[in-house]
Amino acid sequence: MALKIPINWVSFNQLGFVQNKKKIESCNGSFVKVRKWECLGMRLVEAERAVEDDKQKQQPSVDDRNEENNKITESVKGFHKDLNSLPKPLSATDLVSSGNDGSKVRVAYQGLPGAYSEAAALKAYPKCETVPCDQFESVFKAVELWLVDKAVLPIENSVGGSIHRNYDLLLRHRLHIVGEVQMVVNHCLLGVPGVRKEELKSVLSHPQALDQCENVLNKLGVIKVSAEDTALAAQIVASEGIRDTGAIASSRAAEIYGLDILAQNIQNDLDNVTRFLILAREPIIPGTDKPHKTSIVFTLEEGPGVLFKALAVFALREINLSKIESRPQRKRPLRIVDDSNKGSAKYFDYLFYIDFEASMAEPRAQYALGHLQEFSRFLRVLGCYPMDTAL
């Protein structure tokens, strides 16, 4: 099919990649949307309703797990000419179970091999088996359905801010935060072997990566082409082999897909850090031997100064808040306040997500949450876990 752009036209093949490279000219930094990688053969459909009680889940038999385990290819190392040998991203509808033989931890992440989320999983569990999934929802389902042991998901970036989709999914699913990983993002400009960056006419990557590398891309005068994942961008460039098209992705993606690194650290802000959460079916027992962080979500009763009171329960006990995020409630997005003079007014009713630096094993944290319950309608502890202080 053909896609109209202000200056010229760009056609896409099944991979959603630019075919007519001769007709591409500068579009003043405008974005061209790339279709999803159809070769994966998996589309995410609406997942089954979230599991409300983990205790109702039954662990699959060893035979079932071993049978499915044989169908999943090991994570790739090095360049693969046969792209079908790469692990296939799991879909939320892949309900056939797959288990762990005890020698490795299986960790799910969103994206393809070479994604930053995979690097975060390997930082947390260096000897783990990484399992790619096509959507964030699929990552949660993979853990709930015993396909994997744990999941690693991005929650916030120092430049791009919070990833609201994952905040919403934390509440929808009954998984527990058992750790965090902080990673410095090193965006690399990749190209097919032998190409120079001055030869590039277009660059493909995730929209956030393109935004974070805007200064370098503007100097090169290239067209910015949007893809759903940085590793997907690298895979497309490698599979098409077009010299005048590059990708922004990790150095690991360059190694996996056989691309040259044309430039490193091309992001505008060198202090670009992404924080990831590690999720599991069961919580961990908190300790006091190292700094811990606790993540909670709650809603508040109506009344003046209620949010101030909620935050004060931590200040009174000298507990530092490292993060606060508010999200409108989906089931009750608007609250109506009657006013005899002006009728009714509507405003958002919020969920508040808070990270505080204390372990649930400490009495002060327990007292703070007990105090918070006095004027909250709903309170849930998402997890208590060791802080990651190493970058």
Side-chain angles (χ1 to χ4, degrees):
M1 69 176 185
L3 181 64
K4 298 289 185 180
I5 60 175
I7 294 180
N8 221 314
W9 60 273
V10 181
S11 62
F12 298 87
N13 67 357
Q14 186 182 13
L15 288 174
F17 187 72
V18 178
Q19 284 284 333
N20 196 334
K21 62 179 185 298
K22 294 182 180 179
K23 292 185 177 291
I24 299 179
E25 296 181 13
S26 176
C27 285
N28 297 323
S30 61
F31 285 82
V32 182
K33 180 68 176 176
V34 170
R35 229 172 53 181
K36 185 177 178 180
W37 186 32
E38 297 290 344
C39 288
L40 295 177
M42 295 183 181
R43 291 183 57 198
L44 180 67
V45 297
E46 184 66 27
E48 296 179 352
R49 63 186 182 88
V51 179
E52 295 298 331
D53 189 357
D54 288 336
K55 294 182 179 179
Q56 295 178 358
K57 295 188 179 301
Q58 297 293 327
Q59 185 172 4
S61 67
V62 174
D63 292 339
D64 290 340
R65 295 201 306 268
N66 289 339
E67 178 181 355
E68 179 62 20
N69 194 39
N70 293 331
K71 299 178 182 179
I72 298 179
T73 307
E74 260 189 27
S75 297
V76 296
K77 295 182 179 178
F79 175 61
H80 288 252
K81 293 182 179 179
D82 182 8
L83 296 175
N84 290 326
S85 67
L86 295 175
K88 303 295 184 182
L90 295 173
S91 168
T93 55
D94 291 340
L95 304 184
V96 181
S97 62
S98 164
N100 176 10
D101 61 4
S103 62
K104 287 185 179 179
V105 175
R106 291 168 54 80
V107 182
Y109 67 95
Q110 188 276 327
L112 299 178
Y116 291 107
S117 293
E118 186 192 34
L122 292 171
K123 180 183 177 182
Y125 304 99
K127 296 183 180 180
C128 74
E129 178 184 354
T130 57
V131 179
C133 298
D134 59 353
Q135 299 289 340
F136 289 132
E137 176 83 20
S138 306
V139 178
F140 281 84
K141 297 293 289 183
V143 181
E144 290 177 333
L145 299 172
W146 298 82
L147 291 162
V148 296
D149 303 297
K150 291 179 173 61
V152 171
L153 283 168
I155 197 67
E156 60 181 331
N157 176 264
S158 59
V159 177
S162 299
I163 301 175
H164 295 134
R165 173 62 175 164
N166 285 339
Y167 273 104
D168 294 338
L169 289 172
L170 281 173
L171 187 61
R172 184 180 300 178
H173 294 269
R174 299 293 299 185
L175 298 183
H176 303 271
I177 305 173
V178 296
E180 66 174 1
V181 179
Q182 299 193 74
M183 286 196 61
V184 177
V185 176
N186 174 17
H187 286 312
C188 299
L189 182 61
L190 312 181
V192 297
V195 74
R196 295 182 299 109
K197 64 181 179 181
E198 291 77 14
E199 299 178 50
L200 300 180
K201 295 182 179 178
S202 59
V203 172
L204 181 67
S205 195
H206 188 276
Q208 282 195 5
L210 294 172
D211 285 341
Q212 293 171 10
C213 303
E214 186 176 15
N215 293 344
V216 170
L217 297 181
N218 287 343
K219 288 181 181 178
L220 292 175
V222 295
I223 297 176
K224 304 169 189 175
V225 185
S226 178
E228 293 188 4
D229 183 71
T230 56
L232 171 61
Q235 192 280 327
I236 292 176
V237 170
S239 64
E240 293 294 320
I242 301 177
R243 291 180 61 83
D244 62 4
T245 301
I248 295 176
S250 66
S251 58
R252 176 174 167 80
E255 178 185 355
I256 289 175
Y257 300 107
L259 298 175
D260 284 352
I261 298 177
L262 309 182
Q264 295 197 51
N265 290 313
I266 64 171
Q267 58 269 18
N268 303 339
D269 188 348
L270 295 180
D271 296 325
N272 188 341
V273 180
T274 298
R275 177 173 169 247
F276 297 83
L277 297 179
I278 305 172
L279 305 177
R281 288 179 292 274
E282 300 294 336
I284 60 174
I285 300 175
T288 57
D289 57 328
K290 60 179 67 176
H292 274 64
K293 185 181 292 184
T294 302
S295 297
I296 63 172
V297 58
F298 60 92
T299 58
L300 295 172
E301 298 286 354
E302 297 182 36
V306 178
L307 180 57
F308 171 80
K309 295 176 183 177
L311 300 181
V313 305
F314 301 100
L316 290 172
R317 295 165 179 88
E318 297 184 345
I319 297 176
N320 183 47
L321 301 182
S322 59
K323 173 75 174 179
I324 180 168
E325 184 78 27
S326 61
R327 297 288 293 151
Q329 290 197 59
R330 290 194 173 190
K331 294 183 179 179
R332 186 183 179 186
L334 294 175
R335 185 183 295 175
I336 299 176
V337 180
D338 293 328
D339 188 320
S340 57
N341 295 325
K342 299 181 180 179
S344 62
K346 297 181 179 180
Y347 63 95
F348 282 111
D349 200 7
Y350 287 96
L351 289 160
F352 297 97
Y353 293 82
I354 282 182
D355 294 341
F356 61 86
E357 296 178 0
S359 170
M360 286 298 296
E362 300 179 60
R364 60 174 183 155
Q366 299 169 17
Y367 293 145
L369 294 186
H371 193 175
L372 179 60
Q373 282 185 311
E374 294 178 8
F375 37 84
S376 62
R377 281 203 207 95
F378 161 80
L379 172 63
R380 175 178 160 192
V381 177
L382 299 172
C384 180
Y385 47 93
M387 296 173 57
D388 182 13
T389 56
L391 291 178

